[in-house]
Amino acid sequence: MSLRRTRIIGWTLAVLTIAAFVTLGQWQLSRMSQKQAMLDAVAVTLEARTPVSLTAAGDVARARDYDWSAGRGQFVDRPAFVLDNQIQAGVPGLRVYRLFAPDDAPPLLVDLGWTALVDRTTRLPDAAIVRGDGLLGRDLDLRGLLAPPPSPGLALGPALTPGDAVLMTRIDIPAIAAETGLPALPPRVLRLDPALDVGYLRDLDVLPNTLTPDKHLGYAVQWFGLALAVLVIALVLTFRTRRR
């Protein structure tokens, strides 16, 4: 193989590798911007805490947005929905959701917070949580952050496993609606104000178990650094070859 052809092949591979690394770096910067915009929007909402009606949960145009909301109603006497594989401070647990029927709005899903896993075989929370002790049959004033449900990630297998409590591998709103016998559910869930004396361990962190903007920036710098390293190596090899 001639020296010229070797250089062409080498530079073609180098350029393709550099382009791939730069693309990955740009993607990380894009994710950083998206998540920072999300955090900024949540911060503004939590600072104002101007409540809107729970009917806003059904606003499809704001399905990916955040609103502070409040309303009165009752939890529906149906099994709890528990999201599996939720780690808190290194402890395996579940995130508990229940259907809430406001007085002036369609039913919506309410995030009641995190609880430790009691039985690893059945993957169910404490029996009192399954029964809904202290929640069912009461008129309650709720408030909190209307937010998109957690990202489903890679959807493998069924989303729901019915039982005393419905075990979920991911939040699938249409599947939850079908399980409850409703034609549809709002695309957003109500994440309860941690100050309320209702539910379990919770906060209003919108980026749990995922990368922060700073992390995305760090990965972007790494990808751009790799692209620069490939360019430098290609130039050095080309320069050495010409001197021979």
Side-chain angles (χ1 to χ4, degrees), residues 110-159:
V110 171
D111 179 354
L112 287 164
W114 179 90
T115 182
L117 190 62
V118 175
D119 188 336
R120 298 193 179 207
T121 303
T122 61
R123 312 297 294 180
L124 290 180
D126 183 84
I129 295 176
V130 173
R131 292 193 303 266
D133 291 0
L135 294 175
L136 302 181
R138 296 171 53 196
D139 287 324
L140 295 169
D141 290 301
L142 298 187
R143 64 178 182 271
L145 185 68
L146 286 178
S151 173
L154 188 60
L156 297 175

Side-chain angles (χ1 to χ4, degrees), residues 16-26 220 223-228 230:
L16 290 175
T17 302
I18 291 169
F21 287 161
V22 168
T23 299
L24 289 169
Q26 290 174 331
W223 286 121
F224 291 139
L226 287 172
L228 180 60
V230 172

Side-chain angles (χ1 to χ4, degrees), residues 206-239:
V206 295
L207 295 178
N209 304 317
T210 187
L211 297 180
T212 63
D214 288 344
K215 289 287 188 181
H216 282 292
L217 178 59
Y219 284 128
V221 170
Q222 290 181 17
W223 286 121
F224 291 139
L226 287 172
L228 180 60
V230 172
L231 177 60
V232 170
I233 292 170
L235 289 171
V236 169
L237 291 176
T238 299
F239 179 74

Side-chain angles (χ1 to χ4, degrees), residues 49 68 143 191-198 200 202-204:
R49 300 210 175 199
W68 192 254
R143 64 178 182 271
R191 299 187 59 179
L192 290 183
D193 184 345
L196 284 177
D197 188 21
V198 177
Y200 320 109
R202 60 187 185 274
D203 54 40
L204 295 178

Side-chain angles (χ1 to χ4, degrees), residues 24-60:
L24 289 169
Q26 290 174 331
W27 181 80
Q28 290 289 349
L29 289 179
S30 173
R31 292 295 293 148
M32 178 194 73
S33 297
Q34 292 170 7
K35 289 189 176 180
Q36 189 59 57
M38 179 193 306
L39 292 176
D40 291 344
V42 171
V44 170
T45 300
L46 294 181
E47 178 68 23
R49 300 210 175 199
T50 303
V52 299
S53 168
L54 289 174
T55 56
D59 186 351
V60 177

